[in-house]
């Protein structure tokens, strides 16, 4: 067997005689032991790099008896003179939008967060008791975040917490009831969250329904539209002051490539189109429309909140993954069984949610659509700012009508 080809002259490699170090401000610099000189620019690529954030989970910086800084890995019980964050140093950005693809469709959520410490960060994940939502919550908890599982099924959510704690006893997890088919439940959830005086750094709107027979909620709205869009729109509005007070913070909206098959436009967007009656309802069309609503909501929300330090992005999690989303549609289950060898795992499916929620590559980045941890163009309607504004105003109107009906 031929030996693997090794690029010994990669621009990222440090030449012999050089050493990579980190300044107190997190800037990477390079020491030349032959000339006794230091410089900020990488000796091969000429790029400048920086590290961000705290040490990885389980690490601590100490000063030894000789007065030298060392780094202690408490999990693996080892000590090193090298700052572990060097392995994850990134090229300095000229603008926040200057980022390159580091992960892809094969990356897992855990790989995306490798080297990060999210201790002190608070995250809400809707629909966190199964599928991608569960993997998203589990991964954030693994890396130190306090994760609130916002779920309708409390029994299932508590079972998830038990499993995560068996794997990672130090995980910080909370379960709170949230039924997106009830605007009253959304309001009660937000009131309870605010009463706890917790910050909120990541609001991950993951929950969704698919393939439902025509159903109306207690708020007299079509179920798919309310659960997939309007209730989470309401939740965000109720919590955005907490998000702004906790900035920098992020809102992540799980959409789908199905948004490309919506026919919502400036010419037909209306209350009846968004929440159709029984005679006009088609389950797949309503799902596609709700997913376009997710993309448009994200686009306009980012425009409203980015100057407050809150950035919002939407995403497609992956192709034909078997989750509880398919429980209402037999044909989807059949499609999955046929396509299973070509699909993502749930850890891979959660990677883009995690990337949008916590990757330092997206600091200050919002208003975009991601697939496979990579920015991609949504549909033409998906970046129509006028359509996004029209949806926002209609959502406000429909929400107020439903809330007035409660009184």
């Amino acid at each position: 067997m031929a030996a693997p080809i090794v690029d010994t002259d990669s621009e990222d490699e440090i030449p012999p005689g050089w050493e990579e170090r980190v300044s107190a401000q997190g800037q990477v610099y390079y020491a030349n032991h032959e000339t006794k000189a230091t410089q900020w620019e990488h000796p091969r690529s000429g790029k400048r790099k920086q590290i961000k954030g705290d040490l990885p989970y389980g690490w601590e910086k100490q000063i030894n008896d000789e007065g030298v800084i060392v780094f202690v890995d408490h999990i693996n019980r080892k000590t090193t003179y090298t700052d572990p964050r060097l392995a994850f140093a990134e090229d300095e950005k000229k603008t926040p939008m200057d980022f390159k693809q580091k992960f892809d469709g094969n990356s897992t959520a855990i790989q995306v967060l490798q080297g990060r410490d999210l201790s002190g960060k608070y995250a809400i994940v809707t629909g966190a008791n199964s599928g991608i939502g569960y993997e998203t919550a589990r991964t954030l908890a693994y890396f130190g975040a306090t994760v609130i599982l916002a779920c309708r099924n409390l029994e299932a959510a508590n079972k998830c917490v038990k499993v995560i704690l068996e794997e990672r006893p130090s995980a910080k997890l909370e379960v709170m009831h949230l039924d997106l088919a009830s605007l009253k439940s959304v309001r009660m959830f937000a009131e309870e969250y605010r009463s706890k005086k917790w910050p909120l750094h990541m609001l991950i709107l993951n929950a969704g329904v698919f393939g439902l027979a025509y159903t109306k909620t207690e708020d007299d709205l079509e179920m798919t539209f309310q659960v997939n869009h309007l209730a989470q729109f309401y939740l965000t509005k109720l919590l955005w002051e907490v998000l702004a007070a906790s900035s920098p913070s992020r809102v992540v909206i799980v959409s789908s490539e199905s948004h490309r098959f919506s026919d919502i436009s400036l010419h037909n967007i209306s209350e009846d189109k968004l929440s159709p009656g029984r005679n006009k309802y088609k389950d797949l069309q309503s799902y596609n429309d709700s997913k376009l609503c997710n993309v448009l909501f994200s686009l306009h929300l980012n425009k409203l909140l980015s100057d407050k330090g809150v950035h919002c992005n939407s995403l497609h999690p992956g192709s034909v993954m078997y989750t509880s989303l398919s429980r209402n549609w037999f044909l989807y289950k059949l499609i999955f069984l046929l396509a299973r060898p070509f699909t993502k795992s749930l850890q891979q499916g959660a990677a883009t949610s995690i990337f949008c929620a916590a990757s330092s590559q997206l600091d200050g980045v919002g208003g975009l659509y991601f697939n496979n941890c990579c920015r991609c163009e949504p549909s033409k309607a998906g970046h129509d700012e006028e359509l996004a504004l029209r949806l926002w105003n209609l959502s406000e109107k429909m929400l107020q009508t439903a809330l007035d009906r409660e009184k």
Side-chain angles (χ1 to χ4, degrees), residues 90 93 96 99-100 102-103 355 359-363 365:
E90 298 177 357
K93 295 180 181 180
F99 59 90
K100 60 184 179 180
K102 189 176 180 180
F103 304 101
F355 181 70
S359 172
S360 59
Q361 284 187 276
L362 298 189
D363 288 347
V365 175

Side-chain angles (χ1 to χ4, degrees), residues 16 48 109 148 155 159 169 198 201 214 219 225-226 267 279 291 297 316 364 370 394 407:
R48 293 191 177 205
I148 294 84
E155 182 180 358
K159 286 181 180 178
W198 290 336
H201 305 99
Y214 181 77
D219 302 295
F225 168 71
Q226 176 166 328
H267 304 293
N279 293 336
K291 295 293 103 177
F297 170 40
H316 170 65
F370 289 83
L394 268 173
K407 299 177 181 177

Side-chain angles (χ1 to χ4, degrees), residues 287-299:
Y287 178 76
N288 296 343
D289 290 348
S290 73
K291 295 293 103 177
L292 177 59
C293 288
N294 293 156
V295 177
L296 293 170
F297 170 40
S298 172
L299 181 66

Side-chain angles (χ1 to χ4, degrees), residues 202-267:
M202 293 166 269
L203 175 59
I204 302 173
L205 304 177
N206 164 84
V209 293
F210 174 81
L212 296 179
Y214 181 77
T215 311
K216 274 196 170 183
T217 68
E218 64 182 48
D219 302 295
D220 201 34
L221 292 162
E222 190 276 313
M223 179 74 77
T224 302
F225 168 71
Q226 176 166 328
V227 171
N228 290 7
H229 170 64
L230 194 66
Q232 300 191 92
F233 171 88
Y234 185 34
L235 176 64
T236 306
K237 284 177 62 66
L238 292 172
L239 291 175
W240 72 12
E241 289 185 3
V242 183
L243 286 161
S246 310
S247 66
S249 52
R250 303 183 190 182
V251 181
V252 177
I253 304 177
V254 178
S255 179
S256 168
E257 281 291 277
S258 297
H259 84 273
R260 299 184 189 280
F261 302 101
S262 170
D263 62 356
I264 290 177
S265 70
L266 286 170
H267 304 293

Side-chain angles (χ1 to χ4, degrees), residues 12 33 62 124 166 191 206 268 342 368 391:
D12 291 326
H33 293 299
Q62 295 181 354
I124 293 173
E166 288 174 352
E191 289 173 353
N206 164 84
N268 68 9
F342 312 102
L368 304 180
L391 171 67

Side-chain angles (χ1 to χ4, degrees), residues 99-115:
F99 59 90
K100 60 184 179 180
Q101 184 174 3
K102 189 176 180 180
F103 304 101
D104 58 25
N106 294 315
S107 302
T108 66
I110 287 176
Q111 288 171 337
V112 170
L113 284 187
Q114 196 64 44

